[in-house]
Amino acid sequence: MNTTPRRRTHHRSEDAERPGLTDLLPPPPVPGLGPDRELLLKEALLHKAAVAGSPDFTTPASRPRRRLVRFVAPAVACALAVGGVMVVNLADTPGHGTTAAKDGSATGTPEATQLLDRIALAAAGTKQPAVRADQFLYIESKVAYAAQSAAGGPVTMAPAHTRQVWSSADGSRPGLLREEGEPDSRLDDDAPVYHLDGPGATPRPSTPDKKGPSISDPTHEYVASLPTDPDALLKLIRNETRGQGQDPDQRAFTAIGDLLAETWAPPKVSAALYKAAAKILGVTVIQKAADATGREGVAVARTAHGQQTQWVFDRTTYAFLGERTVLTEAGDAGPAGTVVGTSAILTKAAVGRVGETPAPTTT
């Protein structure tokens, strides 16, 4: 769950992404879209067009590259088109109510730092099997997205549904996205990328850059190779997410949340991610929060652009449970406190092939 649409997009295969370019729609007008919300468009993903003939439609909050749990502001979620990644050329400036850190020396609140230190200690002591290069990382979760009519008005929250992702550990083979209620989607790097030059513009296709893995587009092998020094890791994250919209602190917080949600970092890397998050300005603690399955815990949170992203942890084990995104400002989408996205991590495991699920654990 996170307020920011993010980065590594699960690319659907050509068969799964019909119709083609002739069916691309320019984004409809978004009622009440202020300049801060407009900035969020930079990372929004193009989503499926509404059912043909429907005079008024809703769309789920956009999903990020190779990730799920990032959510666009509901008002922004009405920006539609078919398939691929959307890149919006807007200014890279802080959102309302946030302050961009000038360097990596800023920290969250003392309470957040203490909690993240305990979470990091627990993560470092976790026993985790090695993932071979020829295996696939399997992650199963429950997710729910808020949706808003193109005409505006309060968002509605769909029931949580199952989401399964298989991704190649070394990135050499296509993966698979299986989301309840949608056709299976092959995950590879061949889907087109669409650029949106601004609100109301027509998406234009381009050839995706063929680059190696990165913070925004990670493989398991890449994540396992990340620095375990928190300062070096935060610096790398800031550098690799530069120019991706929002302020630098929110970009870093978002990127770390992405890695926590749908990668399976080795214990020492996980610990470094939590310690790096403690160094981000504006990180706070929410004493009571719940994931998409209703599991309650304590949350580490950050607010930007009228939304608060919450990472939910078990109070006893400090295990990462999932994420939640909540509106912090009343508006057309609903009152402050409205949940616009939520997730719950159920399973992370290494399997031998796409479509295979791990054997149930016995107690």
Side-chain angles (χ1 to χ4, degrees), residues 284-299:
T284 60
V285 172
I286 305 299
Q287 291 298 335
K288 186 176 181 180
D291 68 11
T293 63
R295 295 178 299 190
E296 288 192 355
V298 61

Side-chain angles (χ1 to χ4, degrees), residues 95-130:
H96 176 70
T98 65
T99 302
K102 292 181 170 50
D103 53 38
S105 61
T107 62
T109 65
E111 186 181 20
T113 299
Q114 292 172 8
L115 176 59
L116 284 164
D117 282 346
R118 292 195 294 270
I119 293 171
L121 183 62
T126 302
K127 301 297 182 183
Q128 180 177 315

Side-chain angles (χ1 to χ4, degrees), residues 37-278:
R37 298 291 174 84
E38 185 174 304
L39 290 173
L40 289 175
L41 280 168
K42 183 169 183 179
E43 294 173 335
L45 302 179
L46 298 177
H47 196 69
K48 292 187 301 183
V51 177
S54 174
D56 189 23
F57 51 86
T58 62
T59 65
S62 301
R63 277 161 262 180
R65 292 194 74 213
R66 287 269 180 154
R67 304 241 0 6
L68 152 77
V69 273
R70 302 298 161 211
F71 305 94
V72 184
V76 179
C78 292
L80 289 193
V82 179
V85 181
M86 176 165 66
V87 180
V88 184
N89 298 323
L90 296 173
D92 183 12
T93 57
H96 176 70
T98 65
T99 302
K102 292 181 170 50
D103 53 38
S105 61
T107 62
T109 65
E111 186 181 20
T113 299
Q114 292 172 8
L115 176 59
L116 284 164
D117 282 346
R118 292 195 294 270
I119 293 171
L121 183 62
T126 302
K127 301 297 182 183
Q128 180 177 315
V131 180
R132 301 193 312 268
D134 64 340
Q135 290 183 301
F136 286 83
L137 178 62
Y138 170 77
I139 298 180
E140 180 179 345
S141 58
K142 286 282 188 181
V143 300
Y145 315 111
Q148 185 180 45
S149 167
V155 298
T156 58
M157 194 73 170
H161 62 272
T162 300
R163 182 175 186 273
Q164 299 166 290
V165 178
W166 290 263
S167 55
S168 173
D170 64 0
S172 64
R173 291 168 294 169
L176 179 70
L177 168 64
R178 180 170 291 164
E179 194 151 0
E180 190 176 339
E182 298 186 14
D184 288 359
S185 301
R186 170 179 160 133
L187 306 179
D188 54 35
D189 294 325
D190 298 327
V193 173
Y194 298 96
H195 288 265
L196 186 65
D197 295 322
T202 301
R204 53 184 175 83
S206 66
T207 303
D209 295 332
K210 294 294 184 180
K211 298 179 180 178
S214 65
I215 292 294
S216 300
D217 193 17
T219 63
H220 177 77
E221 285 192 345
Y222 175 83
V223 173
S225 71
L226 289 174
T228 55
D229 174 77
D231 291 313
L233 180 56
L234 184 57
K235 181 178 179 180
L236 183 151
I237 290 170
R238 290 189 187 280
N239 288 339
E240 290 206 7
T241 58
R242 193 181 307 276
Q244 292 183 6
Q246 308 174 51
D247 61 87
D249 292 317
Q250 186 62 19
R251 287 201 307 265
F253 189 80
T254 291
I256 292 171
D258 288 344
L259 294 172
L260 296 174
E262 279 196 347
T263 70
W264 200 20
K268 290 184 178 179
V269 174
S270 292
L273 287 169
Y274 293 125
K275 290 182 178 180

